[in-house]
Amino acid sequence: MARTTLTPDCIVRVEKSGNRFNAWDTDGNKRTSEITTTTRKKAFEGDYLLGRFTGRTGKVFWRRVEDVETTPTNTAPDTPSVEVPTDHAEVLGFIHNSYSLKPQGLMMTELKWKYLVRSAVRGKNIMMTGPAGCGKTMAAKALVNSLDRPDYYFNLGATQDPRGTLIGNTHFEDGKGTYFSESLFVKAIQTPNAVILLDELSRAHPDAWNILMTVLDYGQRYLRLDEQDTQATIKVADGVTFIATANIGNEYTSTRVMDKALMDRFTIVEMDVLNESEETELLNYMFPHVDSVLLGNVAKIATLTRSEANTDTARITSGISTRTTVELCGLLYDGFSLEEAAEVSIYPQYDSAGGVDSERTFVKQIVQKFCDDGTNDDLFNDEEIASATD
């Protein structure tokens, strides 16, 4: 049987902006959020184009293409696809018409999205807060893509050397001697209108917070490379916006209690936990080829665990996050059953100590009610819901 040759319906070229690899199609439209970071980075480093293909199952994927007659429009990284106005009346119009810029896969109310855009346009320091897996980083990256400014990403929760990450290090080489190498962060804060994402700020070492104090202070906005008076002081460029993500609360045991002075330097944007209807809508959007009833059951399971975790006599410490439901539905798309998907993606998050009274057993009981017959909408009636959450 002859092999079917797939034809791409979209061609993109990848360009580097800050420390981010952006993808532009032939019409100059930005496609960055549709392609994984690894794929974009490889395309840039290999200097080849990417094509969007649709497989026989309907799954969309991107891969290398060659000998393409149509060359993508060369859109400069510093040329915004959305021009932010400066006149006050025009700024008002831009902010209040910005909801159309929000990606469909980001579940965020219109008010909070407009507040997020307004904060960025006005050069505010923004802190995204909310439970783990609720979409804080996704919202921050969506804002970056919408405004299309030079952007830089720093995961402060993963760094072992705050000073090296934010300031730089002193090195020694034969023939060159001792020299100081500035960090990428120093370059980032000197880039006009840059958006700098400080991920997992609540997990950062206090040394990182101390370094950031003057950088984030609207009255100072500088970074001193060393405590000595003779050392250079780096000024933060005009229009630079800092966006931080943080998990705040007693349930996050590996986070630190954030300094009040540091918190006061941010405008807080709190991400909401999705309700059942919103979760179902998101899952159906992300996995259109998975049975909608099955996706609805996943949303119900997540909602029940979140409701239980918020009761005064909760039998579990936390509900299932949206990140987990997306991972679970990805397993469903790849042919796993709901029971199998829950076994590997949900149960390991809950403690099995206590036997039949353990958190894991309780969550299993909820999931099992949806594993008997995935097509029955009445699997979990009102009486069973009351019994599960009493």
Side-chain angles (χ1 to χ4, degrees), residues 30 59 103 111 115 117 137 168 187 259 278 290 311:
K30 194 173 183 181
K59 185 176 182 179
L111 172 61
Y115 182 46
V117 171
T137 303
K187 175 185 177 182
D259 189 290
E278 293 169 335
V290 177
T311 62

Side-chain angles (χ1 to χ4, degrees), residues 95 112-128 143 147 149 218 239-243 266-269:
I95 293 171
K112 291 195 174 182
W113 174 259
K114 289 180 179 178
Y115 182 46
L116 181 60
V117 171
R118 179 264 175 190
S119 299
V121 169
R122 294 303 188 188
K124 302 291 184 181
N125 303 325
I126 305 165
M127 179 176 290
M128 311 291 300
L143 177 65
L147 299 181
R149 293 176 171 180
Y218 294 118
V240 173
T241 297
F242 295 91
I243 307 177
F266 287 96
T267 295
I268 306 296
V269 178

Side-chain angles (χ1 to χ4, degrees), residues 7-8 10-13 26 49-51 65-73:
T7 302
C10 180
I11 304 293
V12 303
R13 181 179 296 280
T26 53
L49 305 179
L50 292 173
V65 292
E66 297 179 5
D67 300 326
V68 180
E69 295 181 359
T70 304
T71 303
T73 302

